[in-house]
Amino acid sequence: GDLGLKEGIISSNKYINGYKNTVEKLQSIDKKVIFVIDTPSFKNSNVPEVCAPHPLPFRSYFHDYPDFCSGLKNADLHPNKLYGKFVSQLSEVTKNVLFYDPNKHLCSNGNCKLFHENKLLYTDSTHLSIYGSQFLFKDFEKKLNNSN
């Protein structure tokens, strides 16, 4: 099936070598390369919609939110093992590349944030909200400043 084709592409090293060559070309013209790893994605495609607070705040008290609204567990996340394998292989074959993993800022102790300061971090199961992007950028900026 489709997964076998994707695994074949990754294991053939053509994909990895393409990234490696791109990184090396950028570095040869004195560019710093940063690889931002994907954020966690959810199995349930309507997580943010289901968990969003009601526009009338008092109505939220009467709404029965699913458990995952208070924090997504590993079982709620889409396991993207193939992508993890790709990132791992890429980090092994590239030098002087900063890999930024937003999961370390979004998730801790097996629990991933959906909200920060009562604001949604995602617009759908795979994309950050504007607020979520700003939230992650603050952490990214710290990591970038510490790497120099």
Side-chain angles (χ1 to χ4, degrees):
D2 190 37
L3 183 59
L5 175 63
K6 289 178 186 175
E7 281 185 9
I9 291 169
I10 297 283
S11 65
S12 73
N13 287 330
K14 288 181 184 177
Y15 204 64
I16 296 290
N17 288 335
Y19 265 88
K20 181 182 177 203
N21 291 339
T22 301
V23 166
E24 288 171 351
K25 285 183 193 230
L26 289 168
Q27 290 172 334
S28 74
I29 57 171
D30 294 326
K31 300 297 177 190
K32 182 171 184 163
V33 179
I34 301 167
F35 187 94
V36 179
I37 298 169
D38 285 352
T39 57
S41 58
F42 319 132
K43 287 180 182 175
N44 185 338
S45 63
N46 64 348
V47 165
E49 180 183 315
V50 168
C51 298
H54 195 280
L56 300 172
F58 71 90
R59 291 251 177 134
S60 292
Y61 295 116
F62 304 106
H63 187 76
D64 189 21
Y65 291 103
D67 288 341
F68 58 72
C69 291
S70 61
L72 296 153
K73 307 280 187 240
N74 285 336
D76 301 316
L77 302 175
H78 178 66
N80 200 339
K81 293 178 185 169
L82 189 57
Y83 179 72
K85 180 179 176 183
F86 161 73
V87 171
S88 177
Q89 288 176 345
L90 185 62
S91 69
E92 290 172 12
V93 299
T94 54
K95 294 181 176 125
N96 301 316
V97 174
L98 172 65
F99 282 80
Y100 174 70
D101 187 356
N103 298 318
K104 292 178 180 175
H105 192 58
L106 291 169
C107 307
S108 63
N109 300 323
N111 201 19
C112 293
K113 296 177 187 178
L114 187 57
F115 292 92
H116 181 258
E117 297 179 351
N118 294 323
K119 295 177 185 167
L120 273 169
L121 297 173
Y122 289 84
T123 57
D124 61 30
S125 65
T126 57
H127 297 96
L128 292 170
S129 65
I130 291 172
Y131 178 79
S133 297
Q134 293 166 340
F135 172 75
L136 269 185
F137 182 75
K138 290 174 190 173
D139 181 63
F140 173 74
E141 191 173 36
K142 285 181 198 169
K143 299 269 192 285
L144 187 60
N145 289 335
N146 289 337
S147 73
N148 291 330

